[in-house]
Amino acid sequence: MNRRALLTSLALAPVIAGCRRAAVAGPQPARLPPLKTITPGAFGTCVQLANLTDPGWLDLARTHVSQLTPEWEMKMEYILADGPDRLRLDRSDRIARFAADNGMALHGHTLIWYAQGQDVFSGLDNAAFDRAFDGYIATVAGRYRGKVRSWDVVNEPILDDGSGLRDCHWSRRYGQDGYIRRAFDQARIADPDAVLFLNEYNLEGVPAKGTQFLRLVERLLKSGCPLQGLGTQSHLWIDIPDGQIAAFMHELAQFGLPIHVSELDVSLRTDSPLDLRGLQERLSRQTARVAELAAAYMRLPAAQRFGFTTWGLRDTDSWYRRGDKDDGKDRPLPFDATGRPNPMAGALAAAFQR
Ligand code: 9MR
């Protein structure tokens, strides 16, 4: 996912506003109730196998979490890493077993994604492509039938600027709506009980992308696609204008389908070197965004509150804190490196208890 370029263009206006505003500390929650006990639907996090042997992660997850989303080990990048004939399902099996043993739901992520599978599928003739596409979904979704509550069937079909749908190896074979439809149809056959989601990012922050997503959902539903749930990833940023997140959630609710806030995090960073705002100011912007999102989720009819998932628990678990993305300081998640609640956790708890 590449939204840094976009952020650069958005970064300057709030710098000036931020300089004028007094620094406000985000509330540090004194006593945090277990989030899973106060979140309508499920409270989720992403997980990777390594977390399951980390005592600090286990403690936090068992206290707060009622649903898990595999972060990358249930994707083609891992499952097809040895080629199409030897599926690697060992890690998703272990995560599924952990979820079952700990009374947590499992949200499958993700079957068909523009970003993955190209190497394995390129070079296949049409008939072989069809067999591999349908076969992958049948095998993977079939294996976890009865073990997953839900699936992200298709991930991130919309262009970053919202001008249309992505061209990718899937759309080149079946068309831009066609591959999505086929994936949902195959997933429905493989697992008649799982709730089938379409999942996308930057819907709140880039209004044109939100609109494009709503149009796509409308088309899919009209065509009879077995789409049953809407995932808004909510990789938010601190300078999304006030009210924009709530406005999008309101639009999203119109279909009456379950909504999953599926990957929440909020980086404190912006791309501008001229952004001199301090930590407290950034935290206060962050908690305001999270509070707005959680309040909008709480305004949904009860049947539409499917779950609220953060993309990791501790700041140091975040994809923002890995490799060249890591500045050693970002705090995008509800808990700090030692497992203490960040202001974000307090904002979530306050919204869920209201
Ligand atoms: O956080 C995930 C990271 O560990 C993986 O390397 C990467 C590629 O599989 O995917 C990251 O998760 C992404 C999610 O699957 C889809 N939405 C955006 C997430 C952050 O990039």
Side-chain angles (χ1 to χ4, degrees):
M1 156 179 151
N2 174 16
R3 63 179 174 77
R4 311 305 295 176
L6 181 79
L7 291 183
T8 309
S9 63
L10 298 173
L12 283 179
V15 174
I16 299 154
C19 291
R20 277 196 231 107
R21 215 175 287 128
V24 187
Q28 191 77 37
R31 274 185 21 256
L32 185 71
L35 292 170
K36 66 182 179 187
T37 65
I38 55 170
T39 311
F43 186 81
T45 183
C46 66
V47 61
Q48 42 183 310
L49 195 61
N51 295 138
L52 306 186
T53 48
D54 172 345
W57 186 91
L58 286 168
D59 191 36
L60 272 182
R62 288 187 172 125
T63 304
H64 293 287
V65 169
S66 54
Q67 180 166 298
L68 295 173
T69 306
E71 186 172 0
W72 61 275
E73 289 145 317
M74 207 182 212
K75 294 172 178 166
M76 284 185 180
E77 77 179 87
Y78 183 77
I79 294 180
L80 291 180
D82 293 338
D85 302 323
R86 261 196 48 209
L87 267 49
R88 297 207 297 183
L89 295 159
D90 57 316
R91 293 200 182 187
S92 37
D93 280 355
R94 285 164 72 185
I95 291 171
R97 165 62 42 209
F98 174 86
D101 289 348
N102 286 273
M104 297 172 185
L106 185 64
H107 176 70
H109 176 79
T110 177
L111 291 169
I112 297 295
W113 188 12
Y114 79 91
Q116 298 194 353
Q118 182 154 18
D119 42 349
V120 174
F121 280 73
S122 70
L124 298 181
D125 64 29
N126 285 350
F129 194 108
D130 295 352
R131 274 197 306 278
F133 186 93
D134 297 349
Y136 181 83
I137 295 176
T139 305
V140 177
R143 185 180 187 92
Y144 297 104
R145 180 177 176 184
K147 296 185 173 133
V148 297
R149 178 184 181 213
S150 44
W151 268 106
D152 287 330
V153 176
V154 173
N155 197 36
E156 304 176 357
I158 317 258
L159 286 167
D160 277 345
D161 65 1
S163 61
L165 269 62
R166 292 178 194 276
D167 269 324
C168 61
H169 47 301
W170 313 123
S171 68
R172 284 193 285 279
R173 171 76 189 105
Y174 302 121
Q176 287 181 335
D177 286 14
Y179 86 86
I180 302 173
R181 179 64 200 267
R182 189 176 182 110
F184 274 89
D185 286 342
Q186 293 302 315
R188 178 74 307 149
I189 295 166
D191 186 343
D193 304 315
V195 186
L196 304 182
F197 278 82
L198 182 68
N199 195 45
E200 186 55 272
Y201 67 89
N202 283 5
L203 299 176
E204 305 88 348
V206 182
K209 193 168 179 184
T211 303
Q212 194 66 246
F213 184 79
L214 299 173
R215 279 200 208 125
L216 171 62
V217 170
E218 193 173 11
R219 279 200 308 281
L220 290 170
L221 292 174
K222 273 197 182 134
S223 79
C225 178
L227 162 65
Q228 298 171 302
L230 306 176
T232 179
Q233 294 182 10
S234 304
H235 295 286
L236 304 179
W237 52 93
I238 59 175
D239 293 320
I240 295 177
D242 288 348
Q244 202 166 290
I245 295 170
F248 175 73
M249 285 291 269
H250 183 71
E251 293 290 309
L252 192 60
Q254 68 180 304
F255 298 105
L257 294 178
I259 291 176
H260 184 198
V261 172
S262 56
E263 305 183 13
L264 172 66
D265 53 25
V266 193
S267 174
L268 295 178
R269 284 181 275 170
T270 57
D271 284 347
S272 170
L274 298 176
D275 185 351
L276 302 177
R277 288 175 292 180
L279 176 64
Q280 295 309 316
E281 173 64 11
R282 288 167 193 264
L283 283 172
S284 127
R285 301 279 316 167
Q286 181 197 55
T287 50
R289 301 285 69 78
V290 168
E292 185 179 329
L293 177 71
Y297 177 82
M298 293 302 286
R299 281 194 295 276
L300 295 171
Q304 287 184 258
R305 296 180 207 144
F306 183 81
F308 202 103
T309 293
T310 58
W311 210 234
L313 290 172
R314 300 162 302 191
D315 296 325
T316 40
D317 297 326
S318 171
W319 65 297
Y320 283 118
R321 295 293 301 271
R322 293 181 206 145
D324 59 2
K325 287 196 181 59
D326 188 17
D327 67 355
K329 293 189 294 210
D330 206 357
R331 296 172 62 179
L333 288 171
F335 299 93
D336 73 11
T338 67
R340 276 184 316 228
N342 283 330
M344 184 194 286
L348 290 173
F352 293 149
Q353 288 177 301
R354 203 156 278 145

